[in-house]
Amino acid sequence: MTTSHVSHILELPLFLDRNANEPLHRQLVTQLREAILQGSISAGTRLPSTRSLALLLHVSRTVTIAAYDELFAEGYIEGRHGSGTYVVEDLSLLKRSPFPSPAGPPRWLRSVEPLLLPRPVVPREAINFRPGTPDMQFFPERTWRELWRQLGHAVPPNAYGEPAGLLELRVEVAAYLGRARGIACQAEDIIITSGATQAVNLIVQATLVPGDTVALEEPGYPLARYAFRASGLHIVPIPVDDDGLDVSQLTNGEAAPYLVYVTPSHQYPLGSRLSSVRRVALLQWAEANDSLVIEDDYDGEFRFHAPPLPALASMDRAGRVVYIGTFSKVLMPGLRVGYLVATAPLRERIARLKRVLDYHVTWPTQYMLAAMLRDGHLERHIRRMRLHYAEKRRQLAEIFAPVASWARLCGLEAGMHVSLALHPALDAYEIAREASARDVYVPTLDEYYTGTPDRNGLLLGYGALDAQQICTGAQTLVELINEHI
Amino acid sequence: MTTSHVSHILELPLFLDRNANEPLHRQLVTQLREAILQGSISAGTRLPSTRSLALLLHVSRTVTIAAYDELFAEGYIEGRHGSGTYVVEDLSLLKRSPFPSPAGPPRWLRSVEPLLLPRPVVPREAINFRPGTPDMQFFPERTWRELWRQLGHAVPPNAYGEPAGLLELRVEVAAYLGRARGIACQAEDIIITSGATQAVNLIVQATLVPGDTVALEEPGYPLARYAFRASGLHIVPIPVDDDGLDVSQLTNGEAAPYLVYVTPSHQYPLGSRLSSVRRVALLQWAEANDSLVIEDDYDGEFRFHAPPLPALASMDRAGRVVYIGTFSKVLMPGLRVGYLVATAPLRERIARLKRVLDYHVTWPTQYMLAAMLRDGHLERHIRRMRLHYAEKRRQLAEIFAPVASWARLCGLEAGMHVSLALHPALDAYEIAREASARDVYVPTLDEYYTGTPDRNGLLLGYGALDAQQICTGAQTLVELINEHI
């Protein structure tokens, strides 16, 4: 460790100006003192010998000796017999200067503040019903470790990768989408992204300009709304009912939105599904108005008793649908990998944009996911998780059954969250507030609206909760409902 | 494998509409036929038994038997004695329908086409002098594998990470920047990004609005230029000489650019360094005009005989500098991890924006880099690479020495590339063209200009080339120069 400390300080930028009026040893003292004060050289660090520092700085040894003498006199450094010079251990008197901040609002903070998503700080022990997090308890740890071990022997690539993503992974994703979602695409149709959120942002940036109109489900996915807002787009909220987006409310002709964002498999947040009739109507509308449809299939893998409907993208014959998927819900949120399937010329444009924005998704993660898909590991995991999530949903339904006339679980049997419609006499916000006081965190539906909410309800993300947490959390809510009726 | 094929097809979305006029078995035939034609079910796949398919679809077995009979008659499927029903192996007669594309330019492709960086397709065997790729030949493979093995035992996180990045990694980066670059920052001042490019994009999006003026080194980093253009900014190119950016050419007052992008340690592409005097002048200019300075220290770790100068960020007392670093040059380009150091309120704004854009950098990579930094592995690697790059640069200098009056290596001894100033009588473009015919790829300096080039030269990225390649490549260029004088 001592050697490493010595060499660390050799990395410190010390610059002696031979033309300055200040003597060289004084310049050295000032810079070393500042480095110690700022914490760039930490307490107890071994300094290089006066000889090696002199060699390094191309100065005579008298300069470094004079500098060390002065620092010694000032109490910054100390000598240990036979083992060199060290920064003193007790720097408690010296205050580290904070990283500077401009005084007042700077002129260059010109853009609109990116919106802060409402996200309360939830204590670790609390039961948190916020949706979006999968269950890692059943994470395929053995498979993951084995693949991880194998990848450790791979030679890392010697260059930047493809902006569109690793070919091996794109091949596997295309095959997976063919098998699982009926989308007949090839590796070349796919772009690997760092999640569904980046996919939405890439699509928007590759196509629209500020002021353009886009349609969003109401209620809908907040991150899509923020992405649209951050790009200066005009959002038209379109109501959702038990059959998904009310396609008939999309305007036509000149006023038709350029883009519609939908979650057909499992509407976010209400949990309904876009009906077959509306799927056909949406595709016809898109073709008639030459508009683009983003199909976000964020947790479409998880449906329990409902038979699957074909993905919109698989029904699209006019190249108007761009399909988004993610590995965050089916494997691990911290991986940050998703994908999109787009027709040319959109995908070419997105690949170019991605190169300029962040180049490509990190190499090891792409390899790991390709391996997870290749031998069916991911699909086996999905099938297992489907059973677990179905059981959790069943459990929730059972607990809320006694108060069914006051609180009704909505949406089809799918996904990792469910919405709970409350009787108009109940105040969702008040129930959430009181639940929070009992360490049960539950978001209210109104967070998911662009405009004025037309529903009174709560959202119950059960993905990451275990049976005990679901039971305790849901029963707390049932008690609160009983107290309020 | 057979079992896995069977279950794969169960994933296929098959939807039978009981209210339709078309009989159920016909609906099933149509959907299976389409899936086979489109390749969603591939040749040779084993289909589920008529019994299990009937159970799955909640139909009577007569429906599935009728459907299979019909597909059998049409030649799509075949039975193998005692082992079930398979899609025929020879589907050569059936053409897979291509993924659809809209006819003509779609209405929704509104935004300006992201600029395509000039990047020729270079054959694998060719010698490619394009800068920006590090030498992976000396990659610390053993250390990497050992850390990788250790990480394989870590339990993956159960949730999304911090948008600003993993705390462990930010702590290590802050300590590293203190030791290596004299920047006294804390973990909280740092945001982990997917590389320097994303850092530039985040800063621009968090601060400026379209039409704002920014200053860029001329010649300068193309990806910064594209990032500014993609955000609709107005670029003012500022000339560079042997002392780096000519700070005196920055306008003041109302007309002062909101942001200046500089590469002080090793100007990209010319290789000069921003002098001490100009560093002070740039900071004074930024404070007087309340402008923001992006300090991109992309390969500042590699300097050979030149003594280090303090980072601009370490001299900044007014919170006007945002510092950018990357692991792409010091470790591996495919990792896609970098960082920025910014003062509040900029870093808070960037963290919020990052959450909406792509959330955070992938978990495994952040962990790996934290481990690489923690025990000094990365810094040991950097010191080793410094020797290798210095030797490569020395080699280049030796080869070009005989033609010094016609081709002069520019910039200080640093980095992984060098610029080669050519005598005005030589045509850089013509030399690059002829070199390419001899399988030596070398970019011309004019690619790096926003406006009209004021220099005639080539760029020689030697990072990823070995001694033999450098020798052959440089000698080819010397031969060409001799042929042209």
Side-chain angles (χ1 to χ4, degrees):
Chain A
M1 285 311 284
T2 315
T3 347
S4 132
H5 268 142
V6 169
S7 29
H8 280 157
I9 188 176
L10 297 183
E11 298 302 304
L12 243 186
L14 298 169
F15 182 71
L16 304 186
D17 183 355
R18 270 151 236 275
N19 302 320
N21 286 329
E22 207 182 14
L24 290 176
H25 80 275
R26 275 239 133 259
Q27 294 181 37
L28 189 52
V29 166
T30 310
Q31 288 178 42
L32 286 173
R33 194 201 288 121
E34 177 114 318
I36 293 169
L37 281 169
Q38 289 189 342
S40 306
I41 313 180
S42 47
T45 300
R46 183 184 182 180
L47 295 180
S49 69
T50 51
R51 184 184 304 276
S52 59
L53 188 61
L55 277 170
L56 179 82
L57 296 172
H58 305 294
V59 294
S60 80
R61 210 176 146 207
T62 53
V63 171
T64 54
I65 290 173
Y68 276 21
D69 282 350
E70 191 154 334
L71 288 168
F72 184 81
E74 291 176 6
Y76 285 94
I77 61 174
E78 56 187 351
R80 288 183 202 160
H81 184 69
S83 71
T85 309
Y86 291 80
V87 174
V88 289
E89 288 286 355
D90 184 11
L91 286 173
S92 57
L93 293 172
L94 316 170
K95 234 184 116 38
R96 183 188 260 249
S97 60
F99 200 67
S101 272
R107 185 180 76 111
W108 38 265
L109 275 190
R110 303 259 301 153
S111 76
V112 179
E113 170 92 14
L115 289 155
L116 183 59
L117 294 175
R119 177 156 291 224
V121 178
V122 178
R124 253 178 174 283
E125 334 67 76
I127 293 165
N128 190 350
F129 277 113
R130 185 159 289 278
T133 312
D135 195 340
M136 292 286 291
Q137 208 192 324
F138 301 98
F139 180 74
E141 215 174 291
R142 212 154 46 129
T143 305
W144 176 265
R145 283 193 187 165
E146 173 54 23
L147 294 174
W148 186 270
R149 196 187 60 74
Q150 289 170 18
L151 181 54
H153 296 289
V155 179
N158 196 2
Y160 294 92
E162 272 297 301
L166 193 72
L167 184 63
E168 289 94 317
L169 178 56
R170 288 186 287 142
V171 165
E172 293 302 332
V173 169
Y176 166 72
L177 289 176
R179 294 191 300 264
R181 308 296 290 120
I183 302 171
C185 58
Q186 321 279 335
E188 64 174 28
D189 303 317
I190 287 169
I191 290 176
I192 306 298
T193 67
S194 51
T197 310
Q198 193 195 35
V200 175
N201 278 290
L202 284 169
I203 295 164
V204 166
Q205 284 187 59
T207 56
L208 302 183
V209 295
D212 281 350
T213 298
V214 295
L216 179 64
E217 293 167 327
E218 177 82 336
Y221 184 42
L223 276 175
R225 189 161 73 238
Y226 290 117
F228 296 148
R229 283 209 182 135
S231 296
L233 301 174
H234 176 64
I235 300 171
V236 180
I238 305 287
V240 167
D241 60 25
D242 288 350
D243 283 333
L245 184 90
D246 185 351
V247 177
S248 70
Q249 298 212 28
L250 289 168
T251 47
N252 287 281
E254 283 295 304
Y258 286 99
L259 183 152
V260 183
Y261 171 91
V262 280
T263 50
S265 289
H266 186 226
Q267 204 275 329
Y268 195 86
L270 293 184
S272 56
R273 177 163 73 166
L274 194 63
S275 70
S276 294
V277 173
R278 288 206 180 153
R279 280 168 201 247
V280 172
L282 181 56
L283 290 175
Q284 283 171 347
W285 174 88
E287 193 166 355
N289 291 283
D290 192 11
S291 294
L292 184 65
V293 177
I294 297 183
E295 174 179 29
D296 187 350
D297 205 17
Y298 65 103
D299 71 2
E301 284 86 354
F302 303 123
R303 53 177 183 275
F304 314 134
H305 300 289
L309 278 188
L312 263 187
S314 77
M315 302 163 70
D316 173 30
R317 293 288 166 272
R320 293 302 188 290
V321 177
V322 49
Y323 177 91
I324 291 178
T326 176
F327 292 106
S328 299
K329 313 297 179 211
V330 297
L331 193 61
M332 189 200 295
L335 269 189
R336 310 310 309 127
V337 187
Y339 47 86
L340 61 85
V341 189
T343 62
L346 181 55
R347 63 169 184 255
E348 283 144 33
R349 205 179 252 226
I350 290 174
R352 282 177 204 180
L353 183 65
K354 184 143 178 54
R355 167 119 200 276
V356 178
L357 289 184
D358 71 350
Y359 222 134
H360 62 83
V361 170
T362 189
W363 159 78
T365 314
Q366 292 199 69
Y367 257 93
M368 277 299 286
L369 284 169
M372 286 294 287
L373 277 166
R374 193 158 35 234
D375 298 324
H377 297 300
L378 189 78
E379 278 153 286
R380 274 194 289 279
H381 177 60
I382 288 172
R383 282 195 294 278
R384 259 195 308 269
M385 292 317 295
R386 202 176 282 160
L387 298 179
H388 291 303
Y389 292 139
E391 172 54 25
K392 290 180 186 194
R393 195 190 192 282
R394 194 203 53 73
Q395 200 193 349
L396 267 182
E398 201 177 288
I399 297 171
F400 284 104
V403 290
S405 52
W406 296 92
R408 189 172 52 85
L409 291 195
C410 292
L412 81 164
E413 300 204 12
M416 322 188 301
H417 78 267
V418 73
S419 68
L420 186 73
L422 294 182
H423 190 280
L426 293 169
D427 180 344
Y429 185 77
E430 183 56 25
I431 287 176
R433 205 187 56 77
E434 290 177 25
S436 154
R438 300 183 193 185
D439 266 353
V440 175
Y441 290 80
V442 53
T444 55
L445 258 185
D446 58 280
E447 288 179 25
Y448 297 80
Y449 279 82
T450 303
T452 311
D454 60 352
R455 276 176 192 80
N456 180 33
L458 301 169
L459 219 55
L460 301 175
Y462 52 79
L465 301 181
D466 62 29
Q468 183 55 53
Q469 290 172 313
I470 289 174
C471 185
T472 310
Q475 266 162 358
T476 302
L477 292 173
V478 168
E479 281 163 27
L480 284 171
I481 288 165
N482 279 323
E483 288 170 23
H484 279 263
I485 56 181
Chain B
M1 286 310 287
T2 313
T3 344
S4 131
H5 269 140
V6 168
S7 27
H8 280 157
I9 189 171
L10 298 184
E11 298 301 305
L12 244 185
L14 297 169
F15 182 72
L16 304 185
D17 183 356
R18 271 152 236 274
N19 303 319
N21 286 331
E22 205 182 17
L24 290 176
H25 81 276
R26 274 241 133 257
Q27 295 180 36
L28 190 51
V29 166
T30 310
Q31 289 176 42
L32 286 174
R33 194 202 288 121
E34 177 113 319
I36 294 168
L37 281 169
Q38 289 190 342
S40 306
I41 312 177
S42 47
T45 300
R46 184 183 179 178
L47 295 180
S49 69
T50 51
R51 182 183 307 272
S52 57
L53 188 61
L55 277 170
L56 180 82
L57 298 172
H58 306 292
V59 295
S60 81
R61 207 173 150 211
T62 52
V63 172
T64 54
I65 290 173
Y68 276 20
D69 282 349
E70 191 153 335
L71 288 167
F72 186 79
E74 289 177 5
Y76 285 95
I77 61 175
E78 56 187 349
R80 289 185 200 158
H81 184 69
S83 69
T85 311
Y86 292 79
V87 175
V88 289
E89 287 287 355
D90 184 12
L91 286 174
S92 58
L93 293 172
L94 318 171
K95 238 184 110 38
R96 181 188 263 247
S97 60
F99 199 68
S101 273
R107 185 180 77 109
W108 38 266
L109 275 189
R110 302 260 301 153
S111 76
V112 180
E113 169 93 15
L115 289 154
L116 182 58
L117 293 175
R119 179 157 289 225
V121 178
V122 178
R124 252 176 175 283
E125 333 68 74
I127 293 164
N128 189 351
F129 277 112
R130 185 159 288 279
T133 312
D135 194 340
M136 292 286 290
Q137 209 191 323
F138 301 98
F139 181 74
E141 215 174 293
R142 214 155 43 131
T143 305
W144 176 265
R145 281 191 188 166
E146 174 53 25
L147 294 174
W148 186 271
R149 197 188 58 75
Q150 289 170 20
L151 181 55
H153 296 289
V155 179
N158 197 1
Y160 292 93
E162 272 297 302
L166 193 71
L167 183 63
E168 289 93 317
L169 178 56
R170 288 186 286 142
V171 165
E172 294 301 332
V173 168
Y176 167 71
L177 289 177
R179 293 191 300 264
R181 308 296 290 119
I183 300 171
C185 58
Q186 321 281 336
E188 65 175 28
D189 304 317
I190 287 169
I191 290 176
I192 305 298
T193 68
S194 53
T197 309
Q198 194 195 35
V200 175
N201 279 290
L202 284 169
I203 295 164
V204 165
Q205 284 188 60
T207 55
L208 302 183
V209 295
D212 281 351
T213 298
V214 295
L216 179 63
E217 294 166 327
E218 177 82 335
Y221 185 43
L223 277 175
R225 189 161 73 238
Y226 290 116
F228 296 147
R229 284 211 180 132
S231 295
L233 302 173
H234 176 64
I235 299 171
V236 180
I238 306 287
V240 168
D241 60 25
D242 288 349
D243 284 332
L245 184 90
D246 186 353
V247 177
S248 70
Q249 298 211 27
L250 290 167
T251 47
N252 287 282
E254 282 296 304
Y258 287 99
L259 183 151
V260 183
Y261 170 90
V262 279
T263 48
S265 290
H266 187 226
Q267 203 274 329
Y268 196 87
L270 293 185
S272 55
R273 177 164 74 166
L274 195 62
S275 70
S276 294
V277 173
R278 289 205 180 155
R279 278 168 203 248
V280 172
L282 181 57
L283 290 175
Q284 283 171 347
W285 174 88
E287 193 167 353
N289 291 284
D290 191 12
S291 293
L292 183 65
V293 177
I294 298 184
E295 175 180 27
D296 187 350
D297 205 17
Y298 67 102
D299 70 1
E301 284 86 355
F302 303 123
R303 58 180 178 273
F304 313 135
H305 300 289
L309 279 187
L312 262 187
S314 76
M315 303 164 67
D316 174 29
R317 294 286 168 273
R320 294 300 188 293
V321 177
V322 48
Y323 178 92
I324 292 178
T326 176
F327 293 106
S328 299
K329 313 297 179 209
V330 297
L331 193 63
M332 190 200 292
L335 269 190
R336 309 310 309 124
V337 186
Y339 47 87
L340 61 85
V341 190
T343 63
L346 182 53
R347 63 168 183 256
E348 283 145 32
R349 205 180 253 225
I350 290 174
R352 281 177 205 179
L353 182 65
K354 184 139 177 59
R355 167 122 200 274
V356 178
L357 288 183
D358 71 349
Y359 223 135
H360 63 85
V361 170
T362 189
W363 159 79
T365 314
Q366 292 200 71
Y367 256 93
M368 278 300 284
L369 284 169
M372 286 295 286
L373 277 166
R374 192 156 36 235
D375 299 323
H377 298 300
L378 190 77
E379 279 152 288
R380 275 193 287 279
H381 178 59
I382 287 172
R383 283 195 294 277
R384 259 195 308 269
M385 293 316 295
R386 203 177 280 160
L387 299 179
H388 291 305
Y389 291 139
E391 171 54 23
K392 290 180 184 193
R393 194 189 193 282
R394 194 202 54 71
Q395 200 192 349
L396 267 182
E398 200 176 290
I399 297 171
F400 283 104
V403 290
S405 52
W406 297 93
R408 190 173 50 87
L409 291 195
C410 292
L412 81 165
E413 299 204 11
M416 319 189 305
H417 78 267
V418 73
S419 68
L420 187 72
L422 294 182
H423 190 282
L426 293 168
D427 180 344
Y429 185 77
E430 182 58 25
I431 287 176
R433 204 187 57 76
E434 289 177 25
S436 153
R438 299 182 195 186
D439 267 351
V440 175
Y441 289 80
V442 52
T444 55
L445 259 184
D446 58 278
E447 287 181 25
Y448 297 80
Y449 279 82
T450 304
T452 312
D454 60 352
R455 276 178 194 79
N456 180 33
L458 301 170
L459 219 56
L460 301 175
Y462 53 79
L465 302 180
D466 62 29
Q468 183 57 53
Q469 290 172 313
I470 288 174
C471 185
T472 311
Q475 268 163 357
T476 302
L477 292 173
V478 168
E479 280 164 27
L480 284 171
I481 288 165
N482 279 323
E483 288 171 22
H484 278 262
I485 56 180

